[in-house]
Amino acid sequence: MTLLLENLSKSYASQNEAALQDINLKVDQGKILGIIGKSGAGKSTLLRCLNGLEKPDSGRILFKGNDLNLMESAKLRAIRSQMGVVSQSFNLLSRRTVYENVALPLEFMNVSEAEIEKKVLKIIEIVGLKDKRDSYPSQLSGGQRQRVAIARALVADVDLLLCDEFTSALDPQTTLEILKLLQEINRSLNISIVLVTHDISVIKEICDDVCVLDKGRIVEEGAVSVVFSNPQHPATQSLLSGLFVTTLPDFIQSDLRAVPSENCDVILKLSFSGGSALHPIISLVIHKFEIPVNIIAGSVDHIGIIAIGNLIISFKHDALKTEEILKFLSEYKINVESLGYINWP
């Protein structure tokens, strides 16, 4: 285990509510954890506590078994050197080349010039900037500058990479490229990564686990595929409102009824993830129950190799047969919500 937080709390005199309240969290070696929440949820405060810029009021931060709150300044600086930090502003020195910017942490650590050269050349090749070693930040694109910042954060052979809204200043295509780079670094170097973001698509793209913060508390956490496929807390549901969205068209919604009538259709919303998404469930229903099924709306996305999505379907309502279909769908671990009944024109 790389990082463990126990009962962490932090307050500021200027705020009525605690910035962090009773945070318990762990990051296993080689895992990517995403911390997400709306503005003011406590994300940045949590990250500052992790890298030692803020001292919590109570609780423990264990990094590789060391309690950061109990360390003297000199030992804390040594431990913090094993954490790399990447932010949205890059924080590059304009008068230093790519090579010189990346070398900066090693210079502070009094590493020999020969060792600096070895480490810097290796890491700038990993981040795809071998041909830019003598370029200055002003000569680089935003994505390239972020690659320099990542290289600088990694060059000291860190065990943990902390990323704070690191894609906020990048366009969507560049963001995707940077995320793929981090994923490759995580896999090849087995570095644990904690990233703070307000962007749900960043979590979806590369994270193994997710922690949802709301008003300084963890309200939901777990594997991304589990949390996203069945969000329990309103804060999570709100963050996911723009993802995996499937709604009824207004002209159908206005004609829905809560109780069935003669010759009506029942409208169901099917939600699925993981293994349940691999089955041709609509075809199975059609063939098993010998009824036509109308697909009204739907969306499917992927978290890694796991499919998540939903479909809204309708078919001719018959109380007995509808009950049998609902039971059949549950056997395939499909979550079903009855939206109502309608008589088509």
Side-chain angles (χ1 to χ4, degrees), residues 145-163:
R145 289 196 291 273
Q146 190 60 284
R147 287 172 184 264
V148 178
I150 291 171
R152 183 184 56 195
L154 295 172
V155 74
D157 299 324
V158 300
D159 294 300
L160 176 66
L161 186 63
L162 304 174
C163 303

mmCIF file of all heavy atoms in Angstrom, residues 145-163:
data_model
loop_
_atom_site.group_PDB
_atom_site.id
_atom_site.type_symbol
_atom_site.label_atom_id
_atom_site.label_comp_id
_atom_site.label_asym_id
_atom_site.label_seq_id
_atom_site.Cartn_x
_atom_site.Cartn_y
_atom_site.Cartn_z
ATOM 1 N N ARG A 145 4.172 21.340 -22.772
ATOM 2 C CA ARG A 145 4.552 21.901 -21.473
ATOM 3 C C ARG A 145 4.080 21.007 -20.327
ATOM 4 O O ARG A 145 4.774 20.841 -19.323
ATOM 5 C CB ARG A 145 4.001 23.323 -21.329
ATOM 6 C CG ARG A 145 4.696 24.347 -22.225
ATOM 7 C CD ARG A 145 4.406 25.764 -21.786
ATOM 8 N NE ARG A 145 3.031 26.161 -22.009
ATOM 9 C CZ ARG A 145 2.575 26.688 -23.145
ATOM 10 N NH1 ARG A 145 3.389 26.874 -24.168
ATOM 11 N NH2 ARG A 145 1.310 27.032 -23.260
ATOM 12 N N GLN A 146 2.888 20.429 -20.489
ATOM 13 C CA GLN A 146 2.410 19.526 -19.448
ATOM 14 C C GLN A 146 3.262 18.262 -19.388
ATOM 15 O O GLN A 146 3.505 17.712 -18.295
ATOM 16 C CB GLN A 146 0.940 19.165 -19.688
ATOM 17 C CG GLN A 146 0.268 18.425 -18.548
ATOM 18 C CD GLN A 146 0.259 19.208 -17.249
ATOM 19 O OE1 GLN A 146 1.289 19.301 -16.563
ATOM 20 N NE2 GLN A 146 -0.891 19.784 -16.908
ATOM 21 N N ARG A 147 3.757 17.800 -20.515
ATOM 22 C CA ARG A 147 4.660 16.645 -20.531
ATOM 23 C C ARG A 147 5.962 16.960 -19.797
ATOM 24 O O ARG A 147 6.519 16.101 -19.101
ATOM 25 C CB ARG A 147 4.939 16.210 -21.967
ATOM 26 C CG ARG A 147 3.766 15.513 -22.646
ATOM 27 C CD ARG A 147 4.021 15.277 -24.132
ATOM 28 N NE ARG A 147 2.851 14.708 -24.763
ATOM 29 C CZ ARG A 147 2.650 13.394 -24.967
ATOM 30 N NH1 ARG A 147 3.586 12.533 -24.591
ATOM 31 N NH2 ARG A 147 1.558 12.954 -25.545
ATOM 32 N N VAL A 148 6.445 18.189 -19.958
ATOM 33 C CA VAL A 148 7.644 18.609 -19.218
ATOM 34 C C VAL A 148 7.367 18.577 -17.721
ATOM 35 O O VAL A 148 8.186 18.081 -16.928
ATOM 36 C CB VAL A 148 8.098 20.022 -19.639
ATOM 37 C CG1 VAL A 148 9.308 20.453 -18.812
ATOM 38 C CG2 VAL A 148 8.434 20.067 -21.125
ATOM 39 N N ALA A 149 6.206 19.090 -17.320
ATOM 40 C CA ALA A 149 5.843 19.105 -15.900
ATOM 41 C C ALA A 149 5.734 17.684 -15.343
ATOM 42 O O ALA A 149 6.150 17.421 -14.203
ATOM 43 C CB ALA A 149 4.519 19.852 -15.713
ATOM 44 N N ILE A 150 5.196 16.778 -16.134
ATOM 45 C CA ILE A 150 5.094 15.382 -15.707
ATOM 46 C C ILE A 150 6.482 14.764 -15.575
ATOM 47 O O ILE A 150 6.785 14.068 -14.599
ATOM 48 C CB ILE A 150 4.220 14.578 -16.691
ATOM 49 C CG1 ILE A 150 2.760 15.043 -16.593
ATOM 50 C CG2 ILE A 150 4.318 13.079 -16.417
ATOM 51 C CD1 ILE A 150 1.858 14.471 -17.670
ATOM 52 N N ALA A 151 7.353 15.034 -16.553
ATOM 53 C CA ALA A 151 8.716 14.510 -16.506
ATOM 54 C C ALA A 151 9.454 15.028 -15.266
ATOM 55 O O ALA A 151 10.146 14.274 -14.570
ATOM 56 C CB ALA A 151 9.474 14.895 -17.775
ATOM 57 N N ARG A 152 9.298 16.319 -14.985
ATOM 58 C CA ARG A 152 9.950 16.907 -13.810
ATOM 59 C C ARG A 152 9.435 16.266 -12.518
ATOM 60 O O ARG A 152 10.191 16.030 -11.568
ATOM 61 C CB ARG A 152 9.699 18.414 -13.782
ATOM 62 C CG ARG A 152 10.394 19.153 -12.647
ATOM 63 C CD ARG A 152 10.008 20.623 -12.641
ATOM 64 N NE ARG A 152 8.564 20.782 -12.567
ATOM 65 C CZ ARG A 152 7.914 21.919 -12.820
ATOM 66 N NH1 ARG A 152 8.592 23.008 -13.180
ATOM 67 N NH2 ARG A 152 6.604 21.994 -12.721
ATOM 68 N N ALA A 153 8.136 15.956 -12.476
ATOM 69 C CA ALA A 153 7.553 15.337 -11.277
ATOM 70 C C ALA A 153 8.039 13.907 -11.076
ATOM 71 O O ALA A 153 8.085 13.414 -9.951
ATOM 72 C CB ALA A 153 6.030 15.360 -11.380
ATOM 73 N N LEU A 154 8.411 13.239 -12.172
ATOM 74 C CA LEU A 154 8.786 11.827 -12.107
ATOM 75 C C LEU A 154 10.285 11.587 -11.998
ATOM 76 O O LEU A 154 10.713 10.489 -11.638
ATOM 77 C CB LEU A 154 8.272 11.097 -13.354
ATOM 78 C CG LEU A 154 6.759 10.991 -13.541
ATOM 79 C CD1 LEU A 154 6.447 10.414 -14.920
ATOM 80 C CD2 LEU A 154 6.144 10.129 -12.453
ATOM 81 N N VAL A 155 11.092 12.586 -12.312
ATOM 82 C CA VAL A 155 12.518 12.367 -12.539
ATOM 83 C C VAL A 155 13.265 11.853 -11.312
ATOM 84 O O VAL A 155 14.293 11.178 -11.433
ATOM 85 C CB VAL A 155 13.179 13.662 -13.079
ATOM 86 C CG1 VAL A 155 13.320 14.711 -11.974
ATOM 87 C CG2 VAL A 155 14.515 13.364 -13.738
ATOM 88 N N ALA A 156 12.748 12.115 -10.127
ATOM 89 C CA ALA A 156 13.434 11.695 -8.895
ATOM 90 C C ALA A 156 13.021 10.291 -8.459
ATOM 91 O O ALA A 156 13.181 9.930 -7.287
ATOM 92 C CB ALA A 156 13.166 12.690 -7.779
ATOM 93 N N ASP A 157 12.499 9.497 -9.407
ATOM 94 C CA ASP A 157 12.082 8.121 -9.108
ATOM 95 C C ASP A 157 11.041 8.072 -8.008
ATOM 96 O O ASP A 157 11.173 7.353 -7.007
ATOM 97 C CB ASP A 157 13.293 7.253 -8.714
ATOM 98 C CG ASP A 157 14.327 7.146 -9.833
ATOM 99 O OD1 ASP A 157 13.922 7.103 -11.006
ATOM 100 O OD2 ASP A 157 15.532 7.126 -9.515
ATOM 101 N N VAL A 158 9.989 8.842 -8.173
ATOM 102 C CA VAL A 158 8.943 8.942 -7.156
ATOM 103 C C VAL A 158 8.095 7.674 -7.122
ATOM 104 O O VAL A 158 8.041 6.907 -8.092
ATOM 105 C CB VAL A 158 8.054 10.180 -7.401
ATOM 106 C CG1 VAL A 158 8.877 11.454 -7.360
ATOM 107 C CG2 VAL A 158 7.308 10.068 -8.740
ATOM 108 N N ASP A 159 7.416 7.474 -6.013
ATOM 109 C CA ASP A 159 6.500 6.339 -5.860
ATOM 110 C C ASP A 159 5.043 6.758 -6.002
ATOM 111 O O ASP A 159 4.166 5.913 -6.159
ATOM 112 C CB ASP A 159 6.693 5.694 -4.491
ATOM 113 C CG ASP A 159 8.051 5.054 -4.342
ATOM 114 O OD1 ASP A 159 8.371 4.139 -5.128
ATOM 115 O OD2 ASP A 159 8.815 5.480 -3.459
ATOM 116 N N LEU A 160 4.794 8.067 -5.890
ATOM 117 C CA LEU A 160 3.424 8.574 -5.933
ATOM 118 C C LEU A 160 3.386 9.862 -6.733
ATOM 119 O O LEU A 160 4.209 10.758 -6.512
ATOM 120 C CB LEU A 160 2.906 8.825 -4.514
ATOM 121 C CG LEU A 160 1.516 9.436 -4.361
ATOM 122 C CD1 LEU A 160 0.449 8.477 -4.866
ATOM 123 C CD2 LEU A 160 1.245 9.803 -2.904
ATOM 124 N N LEU A 161 2.448 9.941 -7.659
ATOM 125 C CA LEU A 161 2.266 11.142 -8.468
ATOM 126 C C LEU A 161 0.921 11.766 -8.112
ATOM 127 O O LEU A 161 -0.120 11.114 -8.186
ATOM 128 C CB LEU A 161 2.307 10.792 -9.958
ATOM 129 C CG LEU A 161 2.280 11.955 -10.954
ATOM 130 C CD1 LEU A 161 3.520 12.831 -10.789
ATOM 131 C CD2 LEU A 161 2.190 11.434 -12.389
ATOM 132 N N LEU A 162 0.956 13.042 -7.705
ATOM 133 C CA LEU A 162 -0.253 13.785 -7.343
ATOM 134 C C LEU A 162 -0.567 14.784 -8.447
ATOM 135 O O LEU A 162 0.275 15.618 -8.785
ATOM 136 C CB LEU A 162 -0.051 14.521 -6.015
ATOM 137 C CG LEU A 162 0.370 13.664 -4.825
ATOM 138 C CD1 LEU A 162 0.670 14.542 -3.612
ATOM 139 C CD2 LEU A 162 -0.704 12.635 -4.479
ATOM 140 N N CYS A 163 -1.754 14.709 -8.989
ATOM 141 C CA CYS A 163 -2.133 15.560 -10.125
ATOM 142 C C CYS A 163 -3.339 16.406 -9.741
ATOM 143 O O CYS A 163 -4.402 15.867 -9.408
ATOM 144 C CB CYS A 163 -2.477 14.706 -11.344
ATOM 145 S SG CYS A 163 -1.153 13.597 -11.875
#
